[in-house]
Amino acid sequence: MVLAILIGVNSRVNLAVFGSGNGSNCRAILQAIRDKRLSATVTVIVSDRNDAGILKIASENDIPGYWICKEQYEHKNQFFDNLFRVLKQHKVDMIILAGYLRKIGPPLLEAYPERILNIHPALLPAFGGKGMYGLRVHRAVIESGVKVTGITVHIVDGEYDHGPIVLQKTLEVCDDDTPETLSEKVLQLEHRYYAQAIQYFAEGRCHVHQRRVIIRSTNS
Ligand code: GRF
């Protein structure tokens, strides 16, 4: 079943934001929409954890929020049926992962081809993959001795932190950085730039050639 809708130039995109944690990126996306830096509407928020901060953001902003995870169902297809029902009900064009710790299954990837984005708190393809999230990423960055780190927004494919890269921004790793200080600085960068990457899609400016995401300039 293909739910994906081609997003035309200048149309408002309906987003589902998926998260397992605090949801600070979701908050930043909502702010970007209010500031008119992002032509989108967050029509639904989904979490696999009922105590996730991101669900509080949903209720604070009068956005429908759902706790949906595989463990609630006897069969995997019941999980996907319910998820698709919710996505359809809220007319979702794109899925934005913001700290969502579950792997995205093939049915969702097929329904939203090149319409699922993730943000990772390091410069992929380094410091990514299964189990690389939160402070573990920043600890690995510091231990490796690299001088720069940053953020990566990428299209989601069937492997963790692997799909085509949409946007990367860097920052310096200072000698006195700890995983905690780095995490804070990287998060600030995420909040500044995730919306920009989504906006490229909202404006219909992206296409993927081999593994490269080509972003058409606004003049062409
Ligand atoms: C961010 O660091 C993001 O890169 C990663 O998970 C974290 C989510 O933070 N995928 P928040 O829930 O948006 O505050």
Side-chain angles (χ1 to χ4, degrees), residues 21-26 98-100 118-121 134 138 186-187 190-191:
N22 293 334
S24 67
N25 276 288
C26 181
Y100 188 65
N118 183 40
I119 190 159
H120 184 74
H138 306 298
V186 168
L187 207 50
E190 294 184 25
H191 296 166

Side-chain angles (χ1 to χ4, degrees), residues 116-138:
I116 307 179
L117 299 184
N118 183 40
I119 190 159
H120 184 74
L123 296 172
L124 294 174
F127 309 111
K130 192 169 165 48
M132 285 299 270
Y133 61 88
L135 289 179
R136 291 185 202 186
V137 176
H138 306 298

Side-chain angles (χ1 to χ4, degrees), residues 29-191:
I29 288 166
L30 292 169
Q31 189 59 48
I33 293 170
R34 282 193 290 272
D35 294 346
K36 304 200 184 320
R37 287 179 285 120
L38 175 56
S39 337
T41 308
V42 175
T43 58
V44 64
I45 292 176
V46 174
S47 182
D48 59 318
R49 297 186 50 160
N50 66 345
D51 60 349
I54 199 167
L55 287 179
K56 291 199 192 79
I57 296 176
S59 56
E60 281 165 23
N61 289 276
D62 289 326
I63 296 168
Y66 294 82
W67 170 41
I68 307 177
C69 66
K70 284 200 181 105
E71 292 72 18
Q72 294 163 327
Y73 305 91
E74 209 175 318
H75 300 291
K76 219 191 229 177
N77 51 355
Q78 294 172 311
F79 160 76
F80 281 112
D81 285 349
N82 192 35
L83 198 52
F84 280 123
R85 188 185 55 72
V86 166
L87 297 174
K88 195 172 178 188
Q89 183 187 342
H90 297 287
K91 299 184 169 48
V92 169
D93 301 314
M94 278 190 84
I95 298 174
I96 306 302
L97 307 186
Y100 188 65
L101 295 177
R102 305 284 183 127
K103 197 164 185 182
I104 295 297
L108 265 190
L109 293 171
E110 281 158 28
Y112 288 89
E114 295 171 3
R115 296 281 169 221
I116 307 179
L117 299 184
N118 183 40
I119 190 159
H120 184 74
L123 296 172
L124 294 174
F127 309 111
K130 192 169 165 48
M132 285 299 270
Y133 61 88
L135 289 179
R136 291 185 202 186
V137 176
H138 306 298
R139 207 168 286 127
V141 163
I142 290 171
E143 282 169 5
S144 75
V146 292
K147 298 290 188 191
V148 288
T149 186
I151 62 166
T152 304
V153 178
H154 67 93
I155 294 173
V156 173
D157 67 7
E159 291 175 47
Y160 281 110
D161 302 326
H162 177 265
I165 291 171
V166 181
L167 172 150
Q168 290 186 305
K169 297 287 170 186
T170 59
L171 60 81
E172 196 184 336
V173 181
C174 302
D175 295 341
D176 59 354
D177 265 323
T178 63
E180 289 76 13
T181 60
L182 215 46
S183 159
E184 188 50 41
K185 288 192 262 186
V186 168
L187 207 50
Q188 298 297 326
L189 209 58
E190 294 184 25
H191 296 166

